[in-house]
Amino acid sequence: MLLNHETYGDPGQQAIVVLHGLLGSHRNWRSRAQALASKYFVVCPDLRNHGGSPADPDCRARSMAIDVIETMNDLGCSSWIWMGHSLGGRVAIEGVLGHPERARALIVVDIGVHRYEGENRQILAAMADIDPARLDSRADVDRALHDQIPDKRVRTFVVSSVRSGSNGLTWVHDVQNLLDGYDDMLAEPPAESGRTWAGPTCFILGADSGYLGIEHEQTARSVFPAARFVRIPEAGHWVHFDQPQQFDRAVDEFLQGIELPD
């Protein structure tokens, strides 16, 4: 599956693919991609069932990773740096573990390799219960979601997925596919696969986020023995939004400090 994407920088430079999280899109990474584009050829796709990419009921990370590989093949890239946030991090992990010949380095943003519970299922269910076309504005969507998604920041992020079209408001993502396939997203914890990768790896984490605690670092190292861990102060799950300059510095220091394989 070829994915909708944007590119930044010179295609002759080292390629890096940047993968968004659940209910995100390539748009979320424009600022960070522009910061990287002076040194790298940056590719920001929409994962399947997200944004402008095709819909598919298969929501497994390994299938999403194959989409990324097919898209990078189409761009003429044979191997690249994988970077992903949250769900995109799990897709990047699957890409590296399943297709190591395509990996030069791995950056995982605020997600681990252990098994997670389905804490985002309620968000998807709340979205599926609403038909935005019956509402007049994003403010109406926000009010309709208020009781089921009380966290204002999360709700604002969800409402940003509403687009206006010829038939009124609509979700830009295939919410039903994501809800129906949610168990498949959680069913492939990398720590339980028995696979490892010894290449250069960095986990960049929000110090205020609970997605990958210190107690989970050893589990991550069992899969990625060369892993480094960078915890960014005053940052939650959306590390790259909360502390963009510190995030950019962490990425740059990691990539400048390693020798990329030929």
Side-chain angles (χ1 to χ4, degrees), residues 129-137 140-141 167-170:
D129 283 344
I130 292 175
D131 180 2
R134 296 178 177 272
L135 302 173
D136 295 326
S137 67
D140 289 340
V141 176
N167 295 320
L169 300 178
T170 184

Side-chain angles (χ1 to χ4, degrees), residues 215-226:
E215 68 275 16
H216 298 127
E217 288 187 8
Q218 190 54 45
T219 303
R221 282 198 178 93
S222 71
V223 180
F224 298 106

